[in-house]
Amino acid sequence: MRLVPGDDVTPSVIPEPRPSHHSGPGYVANRQAPDFELDEPLRNAAARWLNLVPAEHRRDGRESAEDALHTLREHTRTCPDHPLGALWVAHRHLQDPVPAVRIASLVLASEALWWLGHFADAREAAQAAADADPASAQALWRLAVALYRLGRFEEAGERLDDLLKLASRFAPAWALRGQVKVWLDAGNPAAGRADFATAAALSSGAGIWVMPYRMAAADFRAAADAQLRVHDAETGGSAGEAVDVVLLPDKSRVERGVDPDRRWHLQGPSAGGGDSDTQLGGLGGDFAAGARSRVTFGTRFVLYQRNIENLCQDRATLREEIRKSVAELFDAALESRAAVAIEGAPEQHAEGANVPGDEDS
């Protein structure tokens, strides 16, 4: 997947070290899974997936069904660190004679494709696994997160409903269902509240999933404007830009590949904006030394209020996250390519979690 300069790159797309809240080795094989065959469209898709894997990631091996399930389970646990290798392992087991192994391979293929940014293919693999074994919590989870990433929020919510009947203690599913409800009713500050609360209670003491703190739109905008004034004070001049605050990214853009969880967006100037730039002077404070001293005229800064709030459990954390997001916007606009020295809230995204395991039932 191609990253767009200025986009907020979150761990939901770029593999990062897995935080401790993830469910760990989670694949629980259903050894009573019904037999099934890969249909022609899925076989064609599988051949396409294989073309994604470079030769250096291809390792042959032969295992018993029990050993194959163990191999698939381990690759599911570590998939974000080596999605290409995981996809190769998954593909190698798609024709296994044991149905449980084939289902596990489809689940692993879905996760690997998701981390590689092939979300439609991830949905196709997960759908095949869920069709073969509708009682597979792992298949339902991978299907839900793929649908969410594609902007198919109603369908994602339905699959999460099914999943939570099977794995009611799987906190990431509660958190993601809360996010789905926010997308379906963004103007309602209470949307998803019960689901966020359940996720937070299941991770009690760990501080992993939080009950989002909601701020009035006027207060949120005032906090963002305050950060612009801080920037002005540090540069000795006017930024000449305003931050637009909207609740969420446009759904049509999510359907075209934009991360639904992104916190901000930097939109370039319209055609003809040309060389009429706003002078900013050298950046200091939270902004990197040596950055460009101008932002192109017409550049639009956008903050996505609900996605920023979803990370924050209180007002102080939210204000710090706004500060961080504004700093990142300027960092991107000025192309300084330096890490912003503001911690903000932990970047926890439910859809990056591993599949549910026995402990989540």
Side-chain angles (χ1 to χ4, degrees):
M1 185 185 71
R2 185 176 66 87
L3 298 178
V4 179
D7 281 357
D8 172 29
V9 180
T10 64
S12 60
V13 174
I14 301 301
E16 303 244 352
R18 297 286 278 248
S20 60
H21 74 272
H22 293 297
S23 57
Y27 193 84
V28 181
N30 176 9
R31 288 169 174 76
Q32 304 303 315
D35 201 0
F36 71 101
E37 297 293 335
L38 303 184
D39 60 20
E40 186 66 25
L42 190 60
R43 287 197 297 272
N44 292 337
R48 186 173 68 250
W49 304 340
L50 183 60
N51 291 334
L52 299 172
V53 183
E56 62 267 25
H57 292 275
R58 303 186 182 193
R59 300 287 186 274
D60 287 322
R62 295 289 182 268
E63 309 111 319
S64 66
E66 195 66 33
D67 289 342
L69 287 170
H70 175 77
T71 297
L72 291 164
R73 181 167 56 246
E74 286 301 304
H75 279 279
T76 299
R77 182 177 64 85
T78 60
C79 185
D81 300 322
H82 60 90
L84 288 168
L87 184 57
W88 166 249
V89 170
H91 191 278
R92 193 159 52 81
H93 289 91
L94 283 175
Q95 300 295 334
D96 194 280
V98 178
V101 174
R102 296 204 297 279
I103 292 170
S105 68
L106 285 167
V107 170
L108 177 58
S110 178
E111 179 154 6
L113 289 160
W114 191 90
W115 284 103
L116 291 168
H118 294 268
F119 304 114
D121 283 321
R123 186 213 62 80
E124 187 172 5
Q127 184 69 66
D131 289 344
D133 185 5
S136 169
Q138 295 75 29
L140 288 170
W141 174 242
R142 294 316 314 169
L143 180 54
V145 299
L147 288 166
Y148 179 82
R149 192 59 178 75
L150 291 168
R152 295 165 62 169
F153 301 116
E154 295 88 350
E155 295 171 79
E158 292 168 0
R159 299 293 74 76
L160 289 166
D161 291 345
D162 296 338
L163 167 61
L164 287 169
K165 294 173 185 175
L166 301 169
S168 62
R169 298 190 59 79
F170 187 50
W174 289 101
L176 186 59
R177 196 169 73 167
Q179 292 170 221
V180 165
K181 290 178 178 178
V182 170
W183 268 97
L184 296 177
D185 191 11
N188 178 9
R193 186 173 181 83
D195 291 330
F196 288 126
T198 301
L202 287 170
S203 61
S204 179
I208 297 164
W209 308 114
V210 302
M211 172 74 80
Y213 178 86
R214 299 301 184 203
M215 183 179 279
D219 293 341
F220 192 101
R221 183 176 295 279
D225 288 342
Q227 291 308 308
L228 287 180
R229 291 194 294 272
V230 168
H231 172 72
D232 287 344
E234 290 177 343
T235 61
S238 172
E241 303 296 335
V243 173
D244 289 339
V245 176
V246 296
L247 292 177
L248 290 166
D250 187 87
K251 185 173 180 288
S252 65
R253 297 184 67 239
V254 174
E255 292 168 346
R256 296 195 301 270
V258 166
D259 187 343
D261 292 338
R262 70 189 311 173
R263 291 178 287 110
W264 54 261
H265 174 58
L266 179 66
Q267 182 174 309
S270 59
D275 55 4
S276 298
D277 296 336
T278 300
Q279 299 295 326
L280 291 179
L283 290 175
D286 294 323
F287 305 97
R292 291 176 57 198
S293 62
R294 58 183 62 201
V295 173
T296 304
F297 180 79
T299 299
R300 179 180 177 230
F301 294 171
V302 184
L303 293 179
Y304 297 120
Q305 180 174 345
R306 291 291 185 249
N307 285 344
I308 293 174
E309 291 172 338
N310 284 347
L311 301 171
C312 306
Q313 63 183 342
D314 53 43
R315 186 179 183 86
T317 306
L318 179 54
R319 293 180 70 86
E320 187 71 356
E321 190 65 24
I322 293 170
R323 176 175 171 241
K324 173 185 174 182
S325 296
V326 171
E328 288 175 347
L329 275 166
F330 276 107
D331 181 73
L334 297 169
E335 300 180 0
S336 70
R337 296 180 176 86
V340 172
I342 303 173
E343 184 173 349
E347 285 276 357
Q348 308 286 10
H349 294 279
E351 66 273 24
N354 209 329
V355 293
D358 277 337
E359 69 277 12
D360 301 307
S361 300

